Amino acid sequence: MNSRKTILDRELLTQALRHMGEEDLLYLNRMVVERLNLLAQARSTVELAQFAEGDRVEFTASDGSLKQAIVLRLNKKTASVRTDEGQNWKVSPGLLRKAAAR
Protein backbone atom coordinates (compact mmCIF):
# COMPACT_ATOMS: atom_id res chain seq x y z
CA MET A 1 0.00 0.00 0.00
CA ASN A 2 1.28 3.49 -0.62
CA SER A 3 1.86 6.17 2.00
CA ARG A 4 -1.50 7.90 1.49
CA LYS A 5 -3.85 7.77 4.45
CA THR A 6 -6.16 4.75 4.37
CA ILE A 7 -9.87 5.42 4.69
CA LEU A 8 -10.60 2.33 6.75
CA ASP A 9 -8.62 0.89 9.63
CA ARG A 10 -7.19 -2.43 8.43
CA GLU A 11 -7.89 -4.20 11.73
CA LEU A 12 -11.55 -3.17 11.58
CA LEU A 13 -11.72 -4.35 7.99
CA THR A 14 -10.20 -7.70 8.93
CA GLN A 15 -12.74 -8.14 11.71
CA ALA A 16 -15.60 -7.20 9.39
CA LEU A 17 -14.40 -9.71 6.77
CA ARG A 18 -14.47 -12.50 9.34
CA HIS A 19 -18.15 -11.85 9.97
CA MET A 20 -19.28 -11.49 6.35
CA GLY A 21 -21.27 -14.17 4.60
CA GLU A 22 -20.59 -15.55 1.16
CA GLU A 23 -22.96 -13.15 -0.61
CA ASP A 24 -21.33 -10.09 0.99
CA LEU A 25 -17.84 -11.41 0.25
CA LEU A 26 -18.72 -11.99 -3.41
CA TYR A 27 -20.10 -8.45 -3.64
CA LEU A 28 -16.95 -7.04 -2.03
CA ASN A 29 -14.81 -9.11 -4.40
CA ARG A 30 -16.61 -7.64 -7.43
CA MET A 31 -16.09 -4.14 -6.07
CA VAL A 32 -12.37 -4.76 -5.47
CA VAL A 33 -11.86 -6.26 -8.94
CA GLU A 34 -13.66 -3.30 -10.57
CA ARG A 35 -11.47 -0.84 -8.67
CA LEU A 36 -8.27 -2.70 -9.57
CA ASN A 37 -9.29 -2.77 -13.25
CA LEU A 38 -9.99 0.97 -13.14
CA LEU A 39 -6.57 1.67 -11.61
CA ALA A 40 -4.85 -0.52 -14.21
CA GLN A 41 -6.68 1.24 -17.03
CA ALA A 42 -5.71 4.65 -15.65
CA ARG A 43 -2.06 3.57 -15.40
CA SER A 44 -2.13 2.25 -18.96
CA THR A 45 -3.66 5.51 -20.22
CA VAL A 46 -0.89 7.54 -18.57
CA GLU A 47 1.77 5.24 -20.04
CA LEU A 48 0.20 5.41 -23.51
CA ALA A 49 0.12 9.22 -23.36
CA GLN A 50 3.94 9.20 -23.59
CA PHE A 51 3.72 7.96 -27.17
CA ALA A 52 2.20 9.15 -30.44
CA GLU A 53 1.63 7.55 -33.81
CA GLY A 54 4.87 7.61 -35.79
CA ASP A 55 7.16 7.53 -32.72
CA ARG A 56 10.21 5.27 -32.93
CA VAL A 57 10.20 2.86 -30.03
CA GLU A 58 11.98 -0.23 -28.85
CA PHE A 59 11.04 -3.13 -26.64
CA THR A 60 12.43 -6.46 -25.56
CA ALA A 61 10.56 -9.41 -27.07
CA SER A 62 9.74 -12.52 -25.04
CA ASP A 63 12.79 -14.29 -26.53
CA GLY A 64 15.04 -11.52 -25.16
CA SER A 65 15.75 -9.87 -28.50
CA LEU A 66 15.59 -6.10 -28.82
CA LYS A 67 12.99 -4.95 -31.34
CA GLN A 68 12.85 -1.48 -32.86
CA ALA A 69 9.55 -0.31 -34.28
CA ILE A 70 7.26 2.53 -35.29
CA VAL A 71 4.01 3.18 -33.41
CA LEU A 72 1.12 2.64 -35.83
CA ARG A 73 -1.81 3.10 -33.46
CA LEU A 74 -2.55 3.65 -29.80
CA ASN A 75 -5.22 1.22 -28.64
CA LYS A 76 -7.09 1.15 -25.34
CA LYS A 77 -4.49 -1.01 -23.54
CA THR A 78 -1.67 -1.49 -26.04
CA ALA A 79 0.26 0.18 -28.81
CA SER A 80 0.21 -1.40 -32.26
CA VAL A 81 3.71 -1.24 -33.69
CA ARG A 82 5.52 -2.44 -36.83
CA THR A 83 9.05 -3.64 -36.29
CA ASP A 84 11.93 -2.87 -38.62
CA GLU A 85 11.59 -6.50 -39.80
CA GLY A 86 7.99 -5.79 -40.88
CA GLN A 87 6.26 -7.68 -38.05
CA ASN A 88 3.17 -6.23 -36.39
CA TRP A 89 2.98 -6.40 -32.59
CA LYS A 90 0.59 -5.21 -29.91
CA VAL A 91 2.76 -4.14 -26.99
CA SER A 92 1.90 -2.99 -23.50
CA PRO A 93 3.01 0.63 -23.12
CA GLY A 94 4.95 -0.28 -19.98
CA LEU A 95 7.30 -2.35 -22.14
CA LEU A 96 7.99 0.38 -24.70
CA ARG A 97 10.85 2.85 -24.64
CA LYS A 98 11.43 5.77 -27.00
CA ALA A 99 14.21 4.99 -29.44
CA ALA A 100 16.60 7.26 -31.27
CA ALA A 101 15.55 8.10 -34.84
CA ARG A 102 17.28 6.07 -37.54
Side-chain angles (χ1 to χ4, degrees):
M1 196 97 189
N2 58 22
S3 61
R4 292 193 301 191
K5 184 175 179 167
T6 55
I7 296 172
L8 187 62
D9 183 352
R10 289 183 182 181
E11 281 188 38
L12 289 173
L13 177 61
T14 302
Q15 290 175 5
L17 285 171
R18 288 188 181 128
H19 292 81
M20 286 183 176
E22 184 177 2
E23 186 177 329
D24 290 333
L25 288 170
L26 288 170
Y27 173 76
L28 182 60
N29 180 61
R30 282 191 300 275
M31 298 292 292
V32 169
V33 169
E34 284 178 19
R35 179 69 178 143
L36 288 171
N37 287 338
L38 182 67
L39 292 172
Q41 185 176 356
R43 186 178 329 106
S44 179
T45 299
V46 168
E47 290 172 342
L48 277 171
Q50 299 175 40
F51 303 101
E53 291 180 10
D55 281 352
R56 274 208 61 72
V57 294
E58 61 185 24
F59 62 98
T60 304
S62 55
D63 65 1
S65 64
L66 182 66
K67 303 283 185 183
Q68 295 207 345
I70 298 287
V71 175
L72 300 175
R73 183 174 193 270
L74 298 174
N75 308 307
K76 189 173 183 179
K77 295 181 182 180
T78 63
S80 294
V81 300
R82 178 168 293 130
T83 66
D84 292 348
E85 295 85 28
Q87 299 172 319
N88 289 335
W89 290 66
K90 288 185 179 175
V91 184
S92 170
L95 302 175
L96 293 175
R97 300 173 296 281
K98 293 229 179 185
R102 291 181 5 156

